[in-house]
Amino acid sequence: MPSLIRRAAFVHHAVFTVFILLPLALVLVLSQVSEAKEREREETRFVLDAVEAVLTGTFLPVADAGRDIGVAIVASDLSTSVGTARVQAILDASVEFSAIVTRINLLDARGTVLLTSPADEEIEGTDRSGARAFRFARGATGSVWGAPEYIPEGDYLATRVVVPVGRMYLEIAVVVPETRSPLRVVENIADIEVGVVAANGLFVLHTDQSRVEERQYEQFFPQIQAVGVGALFETETFVDGDRTFLAGRKVPGLEWAVVVYRTEAQVGLEMRRQVIRVIGFIAVILVAGVITTFLVFRWVRNLLDPILDTLREYAEGNYAHRIDSARYIETALIAESVHAMARRLKEREVDLKTARRVAETANDAKDLLLANVSHEIRTPLNAIIGINRTLSRPLPEGMRTAEDLLRLQSLASGNLERIVDDLLDYAAADRGHLTINPSPVDVNTLLCDIADLHRVQVEDAGLRFVVDINIPPETVVRTDAIRLAQVLGNLLTNAAKFTERGSVALRGSVADDLSSDGTVALRIDVEDTGPGIPEHVRHDIFVEFVQGDLSPSKAKPGIGLGLSIARSLTKLLGGSLEVLHTGPQGTVFSVALVVERAEVAVLESPADDVVEELSGVPGDTTILVVEDEAINRLYIEGLLRQHGYGVVAVADAESAEKAARDGPDCILMDVGLPRKDGYHVTRALKADEHTRSIPVVALTAHAFQRERDRAREVGMVGFVSKPIREHQLLRTLEEALRGEASL
């Protein structure tokens, strides 16, 4: 596996090279090339200025003097002795008063010396046509004057300049110090060539003497002259097949031009030198960068190795390993964080092990619970099925009567219903959907009804049932009688179930009369003389599915939800449920409630299976029953007919909408119809002006608050949950018919 640090170092070096070093190198190369070009241009200007200064300083006075002499000679008549003497005098004066002119010869068109100064009879009449300066002057046109001819004489340079004068020529001998040579200034400048070009294109001076009198740049002289005196002319040309860069300037006062030229190789040499310098500089930086990156990599690796080793130890579960990182603040902080992580991991590992044990325990409990629930459901179900089969055949002599068997079947059905109700209440409590419906309740009457309801159960278990209610008469409070009866019923059922001998007691009292603020503090205790709550479940007695024994072979029925649901309901009622005492002598559960006082008590009896006489129902009242299940439809129809109602029963939404137009007094609507449920049917009926006023009561197996809310939204006025309780059904229908029902 590649090293992240090494890769990061490589990426860093690559990024540094590509995005920093290479652009910097490019800038440096371009800068050096531009600087080299500018330096060459400055060097060219310097050479031109220097050569031009020497030329103008040395030869311009000579040229001016030659022109003046030429004017005087042209004005004189050499055919007479007077004219000849006058010209001789002019020549003598020019030599005498010049510091550098040593001799002046007057030549005819053929190059023969006519006059000389200083006078020398040996020179007069000699032929000077072979002299280089004379040959150059004869080939010149216009006002171009002859090329100097250098003659070394010790530390001086003697030169001869020939100036055209009409059809004659003046040959002027000039002696100048060697240090004042026009091209002496360029002797120490490498890779450059300088020449002085006459108007006819011939070199009259050159740094390479072998090239004097070469005709090479004749075509450029007019262009140099055209740019004007002092202006720089630059161009490119080819000389001997080599690309050449040329710069030139006209010498003021003389018919000469100074040219400086370099071949492409000479120009590129300096640029290559600069590029080589830049490349060398970049190479040094690259090498330094590589070395620095390597050293930084080693340094970072040495810092991270202890941390990585520690993390590997942690991965293997060795949390005791520590990092020695006291050298730097940053690594110390990292080490501290890693050590803190190790502590948390160790704690997490302990928590996970604990959670795993708890989960395994819960899983085992779940398996036992499922077996227990299966047992609890199958027990009453087996009784119901068995009694039904027994009643379907003739009863043998000596067996219980059919009425006894039906009573037993009713008890088994009640047990099965309580198991299902406990599971539904637990699901509702788990989602926070448990609700209460407070109404005025006479506490004494409610407790007496609860006692009567459970008396048979307690006494059938062979126990004495004690009822001790010390609550002032006509104590009326606002609470949910059904939910309070459910709480106390769970407590009484448990007491009867787990007590083998002795008694079960229901005690009620007013703990505190808070009449000043309109409330009453009630205390209701359920006592038994059983063996008490086992020690290993005492702290978890209100936890779901917790019992003293979860094995399917236990003698006592139940699924462990009663106390959990009882505590949740007590909290909803605004009170608390606690275990006041438990031990070998028995257990005491206490319900404490603080409730509001009320004026009128309308008792909602917890004895749902007790059927009261309901009055005020007209004999010609018709109920439309909408139920898709044939068995339920038959049961409801028979039940209602027993109580004097007329019944029209249908099985689907279409039939219900059609039958509703016949004007029934009330509709009992199953909300779980196929294709089109009861909510949609009710909404359609409420939208129709012919059926809008008929009250609709919901019939559903979903006994949750959201079902009540949905029924209220579509316009239903009552709610009956399955399994159907006779008293609840009859009471809800009577309230709906009277217009008193509410959800």
Side-chain angles (χ1 to χ4, degrees), residues 160-222:
R160 298 180 185 275
V161 179
V162 178
V163 180
V165 180
R167 293 183 178 182
M168 294 178 290
Y169 300 90
L170 282 177
E171 183 184 42
I172 305 173
V174 181
V175 178
V176 296
E178 187 179 7
T179 55
R180 294 185 60 187
S181 169
L183 303 182
R184 185 67 178 268
V185 295
V186 299
E187 288 181 354
N188 297 324
I189 301 178
D191 303 324
I192 190 171
E193 294 188 38
V194 183
V196 179
V197 181
N200 58 1
L202 295 177
F203 282 122
V204 295
L205 291 174
H206 201 282
T207 50
D208 183 1
Q209 289 295 322
S210 64
R211 302 192 64 179
V212 174
E213 297 188 28
E214 285 186 3
R215 188 184 298 273
Q216 201 161 47
Y217 298 117
E218 180 180 7
Q219 72 273 25
F220 296 121
F221 191 88

Side-chain angles (χ1 to χ4, degrees), residues 545-589:
F545 308 115
V546 173
Q547 285 185 319
D549 184 6
L550 278 176
S551 63
S553 61
K554 66 185 178 66
K556 307 300 181 182
I559 57 175
L561 288 175
L563 290 178
S564 173
I565 295 171
R567 171 169 275 192
S568 298
L569 290 174
T570 305
K571 288 183 178 179
L572 284 176
L573 294 171
S576 62
L577 172 60
E578 303 294 340
V579 180
L580 294 185
H581 169 74
T582 185
Q585 304 303 319
T587 302
V588 179
F589 284 89

